[in-house]
Amino acid sequence: MTAIDREHLVDLLSATHSKTRAILKGIDLDIQVYDDGGWRIRDILGHIATWDRQVSLSLRAFSSGTEYAIPEFDEEAFNIEDVRRQVSLTSQQVFEEWEMARELFKDAVREIPQDRFPGDLLYPWGDERGTVVKLVKEMCDHDEEHYSEISRAIEASLET
């Protein structure tokens, strides 16, 4: 992987993040997105930030020749606990955490030694391995999925 390829991955991360940031201008982050779980926009932003930090930990471990995975990972329990942990934060704090976590993710991609890029790394959820490129693309897809959900929730709130 060349430096240009690495910057392409960083650009992908920036693009999906910027797309979401653009639809949030002037929007109340307390708008409900999921009826069944009670998640609001702010909860989804916090969720994305948490995963950006977890992926950063995996990438940094990979860069140093070790591995990282969330201990005893249960996706549903992890996500529920993550939302609970963020309840005491203001919407502004959640937004700032979301911004900061994406920067950590991009920095972790930039810091991977050139000779490590073609390698196989353990993803933070612990039951999957793959390349840095595949992981970044999966996380961009994750962003896109949540972007769509947030976008629909914003549209629905404007109709009422």
Side-chain angles (χ1 to χ4, degrees):
M1 172 156 290
T2 67
I4 292 171
D5 296 330
R6 182 190 326 254
E7 279 308 307
H8 175 69
L9 294 177
V10 171
D11 290 346
L12 287 174
L13 291 167
S14 294
T16 59
H17 195 76
S18 294
K19 182 177 174 181
T20 300
R21 186 188 305 115
I23 66 165
L24 296 176
K25 287 187 183 186
I27 296 297
D28 180 1
L29 299 184
D30 283 318
I31 293 171
Q32 185 109 3
V33 177
Y34 305 130
D35 291 333
D36 58 346
W39 280 29
R40 300 161 293 171
I41 292 172
R42 59 173 273 134
D43 300 319
I44 292 174
L45 296 181
H47 164 77
I48 292 169
T50 294
W51 279 106
D52 281 0
R53 284 191 294 277
Q54 292 299 317
V55 168
S56 297
L57 290 170
S58 284
L59 292 173
R60 287 205 159 86
F62 176 69
S63 291
S64 68
T66 62
E67 293 186 328
Y68 168 79
I70 301 164
E72 301 177 28
F73 179 67
D74 173 313
E75 184 175 8
E76 186 175 342
F78 182 82
N79 288 334
I80 289 169
E81 181 55 35
D82 181 52
V83 170
R84 281 189 195 133
R85 183 188 59 78
Q86 297 177 52
V87 165
S88 65
L89 299 177
T90 66
S91 289
Q92 183 61 36
Q93 288 170 317
V94 169
F95 188 83
E96 289 168 3
E97 286 282 318
W98 175 71
E99 293 282 13
M100 187 178 3
R102 182 51 52 106
E103 290 307 312
L104 290 172
F105 188 174
K106 293 188 306 189
D107 288 346
V109 170
R110 286 185 186 109
E111 294 166 7
I112 297 171
Q114 195 65 30
D115 63 329
R116 305 275 309 150
F117 249 102
D120 180 61
L121 74 140
L122 180 65
Y123 293 172
W125 42 93
D127 64 350
E128 184 178 0
R129 302 184 73 84
T131 65
V132 172
V133 172
K134 182 179 176 223
L135 179 57
V136 168
K137 288 183 177 180
E138 281 189 34
M139 296 310 292
C140 287
D141 289 346
H142 181 241
D143 280 2
E144 288 290 339
E145 174 187 331
H146 288 305
Y147 169 86
S148 295
E149 295 163 341
I150 290 169
S151 181
R152 283 191 300 272
I154 290 170
E155 287 176 25
S157 75
L158 297 175
E159 293 172 358
T160 58

